[in-house]
Amino acid sequence: MRKLVFHIDVNSAFLSWEAAKRVAQGEADLRLVPSAVGGDREKRTGVILAKSIPAKKCGVKTGEPVAQALRKCPDLILARPDFRLYEQNSRAFTAICARYAPVVEKYSIDECFLDMSGTERLYPDYREIAHRLRTEIREELGFTVNIGISTNKLLAKMASDFEKPDRVHTLFPDEIRKKMWPLPVGDLFSVGAATATKLTIARIKTIGDLARTDLAAVKFLVGDKLGEQIHRYANGIDDSPVLAEAEDAKGYSNSTTLEEDITAEPDAFRVLLALADSVSTRMRADGKTAGCVAVTIRGDNFRDRSHQKKLDEPTDITAEIYRVACRLFSELWDRHTPIRLLGIALTQINAGPAAQLSLFPDAHKEKTRKLDQAVDTIRSRFGHDTIAHGSLHASALEVGKKHRAQMEAE
């Protein structure tokens, strides 16, 4: 049986999902004008999480401060992040993919792999079925995807990164020399900016150069583990299976793959605030609390690192979850590796009240919990973007500074 893998990648996910929502409401399409997701226009705070093609032409970059983006593009339309909207769209497009594939692996909020092996009798023409899937997502949900097709996950993902948007591309083993090898070495999956610089200095400028370079030489340049991995990838070798989506993990989580790397702690904290807000809101809606907070980061070397902390008592308070997440991030990050993905997970889920009854209740905590509940009520009536936890960011920066000072002292 021939192995066949699809990689589905939403084009400019956060911006596309916001644009599709507005178009459905009869508003203008954000994808056609200079626009971006992230931050607050009036306060000129926050960071750009996603941008439209017209905004990109104005020089707006993902990851840069909103104030800087507005100097480049004064007419930039800004939409605040809405992770609940993103989760809804993520589930929706994944559900459409599941109509066609026996196995669907969710890789991130806007990407998934489909194992189409053994479906030849159902779908004799894999290109035709890919175009049908792409069209269904666009017509039913209002946004576009790229689909890459190959015999393994690596090549399928590389193929989906070819010309965008709304395209289907193949990258089979016999197409590697023509389609993949001429690309810059930095375009290879798992080759970050720092690694690409090392390879380029060593005159390994294209993926083909890397594929033809002696493995020992590659390991000498970038280390044994990464060297072996990127050398295999350059030759189109990847044995990783497409894994079925795990069953309910009995927790709440959210992650985001950033269009451009984050290199500053304040920018990472802003993203963590949005993630903490998202997962805690969902958990409160279910009447649950969490006893453990975990943070995951993915560097530009595509290596995931995670750290978790068990709480003294279960909580559903956004501020508490956010501050723990920021502390975990400060412990995880080396403060120089660019970050491509951030995620928060809440586990050890409990039903019932957020804390055991006490003769001496914490008045501040109760006040904060009531504030969260009020925010949830306002959002449920008027939309997620109506109100945000802006004040938490400044306090977390102070927590981060104190924690770093403590780690350095130790």
Side-chain angles (χ1 to χ4, degrees), residues 128-381:
E128 188 275 332
I129 204 63
H131 281 288
R132 190 197 306 176
L133 172 57
R134 174 182 61 87
T135 301
E136 282 191 21
I137 292 173
R138 185 183 66 240
E139 292 182 349
E140 292 187 28
L141 305 178
F143 56 85
T144 63
V145 300
N146 263 39
I147 300 180
I149 306 172
S150 189
T151 55
N152 64 42
K153 292 167 68 174
L154 164 73
L155 294 178
K157 182 167 176 59
M158 290 293 297
S160 69
D161 282 336
F162 291 161
E163 184 186 1
K164 297 181 179 183
D166 202 20
R167 296 285 190 273
V168 172
H169 299 286
T170 64
L171 181 56
F172 290 108
D174 60 357
E175 298 176 301
I176 290 176
R177 289 177 179 270
K178 180 180 179 181
K179 292 185 177 182
M180 190 172 81
W181 278 10
L183 298 175
V185 70
D187 286 359
L188 181 64
F189 178 69
S190 80
V191 174
T195 301
T197 299
K198 290 180 182 179
L199 295 172
T200 301
I201 292 174
R203 298 185 180 181
I204 302 174
K205 299 180 179 180
T206 68
I207 297 176
D209 292 339
L210 176 59
R212 292 184 290 263
T213 300
D214 182 70
L215 176 58
V218 178
K219 288 183 176 181
F220 177 79
L221 288 170
V222 302
D224 289 351
K225 188 174 180 180
L226 180 59
E228 182 169 356
Q229 181 186 48
I230 64 175
H231 192 265
R232 285 170 58 85
Y233 282 1
N235 284 283
I237 301 171
D238 175 29
D239 302 323
S240 58
V242 177
L243 302 174
E245 190 169 3
E247 295 181 1
D248 183 8
K250 297 183 180 179
Y252 297 81
S253 64
N254 199 358
S255 64
T256 179
T257 302
L258 302 150
E259 288 187 13
E260 294 183 15
D261 299 345
I262 279 181
T263 56
E265 190 173 68
D267 295 337
F269 280 3
R270 291 185 185 97
V271 177
L272 287 173
L273 175 55
L275 294 171
D277 189 15
S278 170
V279 292
S280 60
T281 299
R282 286 164 45 208
M283 185 172 64
R284 284 193 297 272
D286 292 340
K288 304 293 180 63
T289 59
C292 183
V293 178
V295 168
T296 298
I297 66 174
R298 179 180 299 158
D300 66 348
N301 56 7
F302 286 87
R303 294 177 182 174
D304 288 358
R305 297 185 63 201
S306 61
H307 198 12
Q308 66 181 24
K309 177 178 175 57
K310 186 174 180 179
L311 307 179
D312 293 334
E313 63 181 31
T315 187
D316 61 356
I317 297 175
T318 297
E320 292 183 358
I321 292 167
Y322 174 54
R323 292 192 183 101
V324 172
C326 290
R327 183 184 179 99
L328 292 171
F329 173 83
S330 296
E331 294 174 353
L332 276 172
W333 191 42
D334 59 14
R335 292 188 286 285
H336 66 79
T337 301
I339 300 166
R340 292 199 172 187
L341 175 143
L342 283 170
I344 290 180
L346 307 181
T347 56
Q348 298 184 16
I349 302 302
N350 301 275
Q356 294 181 352
L357 295 177
S358 170
L359 293 175
F360 305 101
D362 188 329
H364 175 72
K365 182 172 290 190
E366 288 305 312
K367 181 179 178 181
T368 307
R369 180 172 292 113
K370 289 179 180 179
L371 176 61
D372 278 342
Q373 292 169 351
V375 169
D376 294 344
T377 300
I378 293 171
R379 285 172 168 173
S380 66
R381 293 183 60 188

Side-chain angles (χ1 to χ4, degrees), residues 104-141:
V104 177
E105 176 184 342
K106 187 173 182 179
Y107 182 68
S108 70
I109 195 168
D110 59 348
E111 298 175 80
C112 65
F113 289 99
L114 280 60
D115 190 345
M116 302 295 289
S117 307
T119 63
E120 293 87 351
R121 291 187 178 182
L122 286 174
Y123 314 123
D125 187 340
Y126 56 83
R127 286 186 177 86
E128 188 275 332
I129 204 63
H131 281 288
R132 190 197 306 176
L133 172 57
R134 174 182 61 87
T135 301
E136 282 191 21
I137 292 173
R138 185 183 66 240
E139 292 182 349
E140 292 187 28
L141 305 178

Side-chain angles (χ1 to χ4, degrees), residues 41-100:
R41 184 182 184 87
E42 283 68 36
K43 296 180 180 178
R44 301 177 73 85
T45 58
V47 63
I48 300 297
L49 296 178
K51 62 190 179 301
S52 66
I53 292 176
K56 183 178 181 179
K57 291 179 179 178
C58 293
V60 176
K61 296 181 179 179
T62 302
E64 72 177 341
V66 165
Q68 184 174 321
L70 288 172
R71 285 194 293 270
K72 295 177 180 177
C73 186
D75 296 328
L76 186 70
I77 298 174
L78 275 177
R80 290 183 178 178
D82 185 349
F83 283 89
R84 178 163 290 188
L85 172 69
Y86 307 155
E87 290 163 3
Q88 290 171 350
N89 280 278
S90 180
R91 288 194 295 269
F93 96 84
T94 304
I96 293 178
C97 292
R99 298 174 189 171
Y100 293 90

